[in-house]
Amino acid sequence: MCIIKLMEKEYIKLVQKKVVGLLKSNSNKPLFLLAKDNCSELSRLAGSWILQDHLNANAFIMKGEGINNNKKLSHDVLVIESQSKFYILDPAIWQFFENSKNILIKITDSIENVRQDLERKYGGRWKISEKLGTVSEEQVNEWKKIIQENIKNI
């Protein structure tokens, strides 16, 4: 169990630091380019890291379609439910908000509020696309490999 509680911003900053370190590990390009097309893998990776530290938390991937009034554009974000609170995290936030300082979008009290908050911030229609559970090391490595391949192709 992690010493720092999920609700503490320091823990979320640690997760963000891991995400940025992964994105910047082989590239000096700006985060808004590195995060592009990596939202699925980054959200799942961040969720797996959080679930390792917070065994009583639940993690969901929310998928938005029609983002920024573009019918072809979709996006995945991570939602963590812990102690009756819902933490909306976007580990690829820079692809839409390049000057963002934090992957934490908002803390709210219901999944319906999560959906509404995401629709206000990104537009489009949002729904839970999957619930994350225990993830194998092979799966984590596959997500990291996909991210690095996407970065190479920028």
Side-chain angles (χ1 to χ4, degrees):
M1 194 61 116
C2 186
I3 295 172
I4 300 174
K5 294 179 183 174
L6 177 63
M7 68 187 81
E8 294 181 17
K9 292 182 180 177
E10 291 84 13
Y11 180 77
I12 293 169
K13 287 285 186 187
L14 289 173
V15 172
Q16 180 172 320
K17 192 173 184 176
K18 283 177 83 169
V19 167
V20 171
L22 178 64
L23 289 172
K24 293 239 174 217
S25 63
N26 293 317
S27 179
N28 289 327
K29 293 180 180 166
L31 284 173
F32 75 91
L33 289 176
L34 298 173
K36 187 173 169 41
D37 297 328
N38 284 315
C39 62
S40 297
E41 292 78 19
L42 287 172
S43 292
R44 286 162 180 79
L45 264 176
S48 71
W49 297 332
I50 292 168
L51 289 175
Q52 284 178 343
D53 291 339
H54 301 279
L55 302 177
N56 294 324
N58 292 304
F60 305 93
I61 301 298
M62 295 282 291
K63 178 171 277 308
E65 296 180 344
I67 304 305
N68 289 342
N69 296 317
N70 182 338
K71 290 183 180 185
K72 295 179 183 179
L73 192 57
S74 62
H75 188 56
D76 289 348
V77 300
L78 174 64
V79 176
I80 302 293
E81 178 190 11
S82 180
Q83 300 175 356
S84 301
K85 292 184 181 175
F86 292 82
Y87 299 78
I88 308 170
L89 303 166
D90 185 355
I93 193 165
W94 303 283
Q95 73 182 23
F96 296 106
F97 305 98
E98 66 181 76
N99 295 318
S100 184
K101 301 288 184 217
N102 199 326
I103 64 172
L104 177 65
I105 295 171
K106 190 168 185 180
I107 302 169
T108 190
D109 60 1
S110 74
I111 200 68
E112 178 59 23
N113 286 343
V114 168
R115 188 188 60 73
Q116 290 172 3
D117 290 333
L118 289 170
E119 287 178 359
R120 274 192 292 276
K121 185 165 183 79
Y122 296 93
R125 311 264 309 151
W126 289 83
K127 64 181 179 185
I128 295 174
S129 65
E130 71 182 89
K131 183 175 194 261
L132 293 177
T134 304
V135 177
S136 70
E137 190 172 336
E138 289 86 10
Q139 183 62 68
V140 167
N141 289 334
E142 180 64 24
W143 290 329
K144 289 179 179 179
K145 181 181 172 187
I146 291 168
I147 291 165
Q148 292 308 315
E149 287 296 318
N150 288 342
I151 290 172
K152 272 190 217 175
N153 294 326
I154 295 176

